[in-house]
Amino acid sequence: MTPDAEFGYELLVCRYAELTWHPSDGSRPAIVSRQLGTAARRWDTVVIEVDPEAFAARRGFGDRTIDSDLLHVVRHAPADWAWYRDALPHPGYPWRYVRQAVHRAAGRSLIEKRRRDNRIQLRRKRPYPDWVERIVAIENKPDLDRSAADALADQLDHDVETALADEVWLATETTGERVEPALLREMPVEAGILATDFSAGVDDDAADVAWHPSDLSPGPTDRAGVGDEDAADRGGSGGRSTSRDAETVTRRLEIAERAYGKGWRSYADTMRPDCRHFELRREGRAVVPHCAAKAKVPTARECSGSCPSFSPEPPQWRTKGWPIEGGPGKGLRRVLDRRRTRERNRAGDGEHGRDRAGDAGSE
């Protein structure tokens, strides 16, 4: 059944998107994450639609997020050896931070570096691919009452105006009424509405499109998703992006990189799977956290060391098979990590949606 907390609902929406994206236009390779955005706006669910071949090339850079400082180095690293200050564009902040990023990038084998004439030189190991096709933002409100709708309308208006995402959606629980209440709220017409029914758990037919979204991307001349005013500023530039365009491209790529490294199952990083009451339970084709002590899906705030019901795994659990296997908590983390890796691999192979081999009945 649908969890009471919005957090639990959010996890089910993430799994649905992973299974079925795109809900109205057919299967598209994508990765899914949650609670990402910018300093001004954080989205509940983020879907990154990817180019499978380019995404497979991105996998060659490892499974960890490439943060903003590293992106500056990796994206602009030259094919041949060059002094890093000659090779990289000015970052807008002191070069000493770039030098630190060069060392970190080399430490992660993202680039190669060497010292010649007392200068640090670098070159790329492989080109950083253009792997992000589109960014889709989903806001999750299972119970869309009037006050929640008013607040959400302002947030979605902001998303539509900034066009940082190519598409925005509202996901809400279906009521079974002839006209879904979400359609009667004053939402921006550009935002899609996804009516979900997770009463039997998550499956690829657990939602219907109640309203189709508009495409917010400016067009083929700028697939990176900058606003219309930026496209107008590009006149006479021969197709090259302005500095503001480049900033938008970078922001979108930073979001995509965090989605790639984090995924949506990373809730175990902010919860306590080492508690003897922490479990994973199946909701159809989804697996979500469950607290046996409280008989509910806990939030990250509830599932902490300060919880009155928190009971650490006994030492004999935590050291079982030490130092390789560990206790049940480490086992749950491995389960979630394997599922995140599996979905990354499938996106790189171009497999997505209901036709993916070997996925029937799995999480």
Side-chain angles (χ1 to χ4, degrees):
M1 58 172 52
T2 303
D4 295 331
E6 284 191 17
F7 168 72
Y9 180 75
E10 182 175 289
L11 299 184
L12 300 187
V13 171
C14 287
R15 178 56 175 157
Y16 169 80
E18 195 173 64
L19 287 170
T20 313
W21 200 261
H22 188 281
S24 62
D25 294 340
S27 178
R28 299 177 182 175
I31 57 173
V32 180
S33 190
R34 50 177 292 273
Q35 292 299 318
L36 292 179
T38 66
R41 183 74 170 94
R42 180 177 292 271
W43 297 315
D44 292 339
T45 299
V46 179
V47 181
I48 310 295
E49 297 178 8
V50 305
D51 173 83
E53 184 176 349
F55 184 71
R58 167 59 186 87
R59 297 301 313 275
F61 286 84
D63 290 338
R64 296 163 58 188
T65 294
I66 300 177
D67 61 46
S68 58
D69 290 343
L70 293 181
L71 278 173
H72 182 72
V73 174
V74 173
R75 292 173 66 197
H76 301 289
D80 298 317
W81 290 107
W83 184 38
Y84 74 97
R85 289 202 189 190
D86 288 340
L88 306 177
H90 196 286
Y93 47 82
W95 281 105
R96 66 178 181 274
Y97 298 113
V98 179
R99 186 169 62 249
Q100 293 172 2
V102 169
H103 292 312
R104 286 202 296 126
R108 286 177 50 178
S109 296
L110 302 177
I111 62 165
E112 294 180 309
K113 72 167 185 176
R114 70 180 185 184
R115 185 177 292 273
R116 289 292 186 274
D117 300 325
N118 205 31
R119 286 186 168 186
I120 297 173
Q121 297 182 345
L122 77 161
R123 70 176 179 184
R124 70 188 184 205
K125 300 185 72 171
R126 60 185 71 84
Y128 183 85
D130 182 16
W131 60 277
V132 179
E133 291 281 349
R134 300 170 78 245
I135 296 180
V136 180
I138 306 175
E139 287 300 311
N140 304 311
K141 285 293 178 183
D143 183 13
L144 193 65
D145 58 25
R146 175 65 66 180
S147 59
D150 291 343
L152 191 57
D154 292 338
Q155 295 173 348
L156 294 177
D157 275 329
H158 176 272
D159 294 338
V160 171
E161 291 172 3
T162 58
L164 187 60
D166 299 284
E167 205 170 85
V168 296
W169 290 78
L170 162 65
T172 186
E173 273 287 274
T174 184
T175 62
E177 299 181 17
R178 186 175 63 86
V179 179
E180 289 293 338
L183 291 172
L184 304 178
R185 307 299 189 194
E186 294 184 2
M187 297 293 170
V189 297
E190 296 88 350
I193 297 177
L194 195 65
T196 66
D197 180 4
F198 296 137
S199 58
V202 178
D203 208 336
D204 48 16
D205 59 356
D208 293 310
V209 178
W211 186 266
H212 292 269
S214 300
D215 186 354
L216 304 179
S217 55
T221 58
D222 188 8
R223 190 165 60 87
V226 298
D228 293 338
E229 69 274 17
D230 293 323
D233 290 342
R234 200 179 296 107
S237 66
R240 292 179 299 174
S241 296
T242 64
S243 59
R244 185 176 179 185
D245 295 345
E247 180 182 354
T248 304
V249 173
T250 300
R251 288 169 64 198
R252 286 168 53 89
L253 191 54
E254 289 171 359
I255 292 171
E257 276 289 340
R258 280 158 42 212
Y260 172 85
K262 180 181 178 182
W264 65 269
R265 296 177 179 84
S266 56
Y267 52 79
D269 296 336
T270 56
M271 303 176 83
R272 296 303 301 260
D274 59 331
C275 174
R276 68 168 70 211
H277 301 303
F278 187 95
E279 302 173 347
L280 293 179
R281 287 200 175 180
R282 184 173 295 279
E283 297 284 353
R285 294 174 69 182
V287 171
V288 298
H290 181 83
C291 176
K294 298 180 180 179
K296 58 178 285 190
V297 175
T299 64
R301 177 175 295 181
E302 292 172 322
C303 187
S304 66
S306 61
C307 173
S309 301
F310 176 66
S311 179
E313 295 174 345
Q316 60 267 33
W317 288 13
R318 287 181 279 121
T319 59
K320 183 179 180 180
W322 185 89
I324 305 301
E325 292 86 357
K330 289 187 177 181
L332 296 178
R333 288 182 182 274
R334 288 195 294 270
V335 168
L336 297 175
D337 286 344
R338 284 198 300 266
R339 279 156 173 73
R340 176 172 52 189
T341 300
R342 182 191 64 188
E343 294 304 324
R344 285 172 176 160
N345 291 338
R346 284 179 172 162
D349 293 337
E351 298 178 11
H352 196 75
R354 65 179 71 235
D355 294 328
R356 294 182 303 183
D359 192 51
S362 68
E363 196 283 342

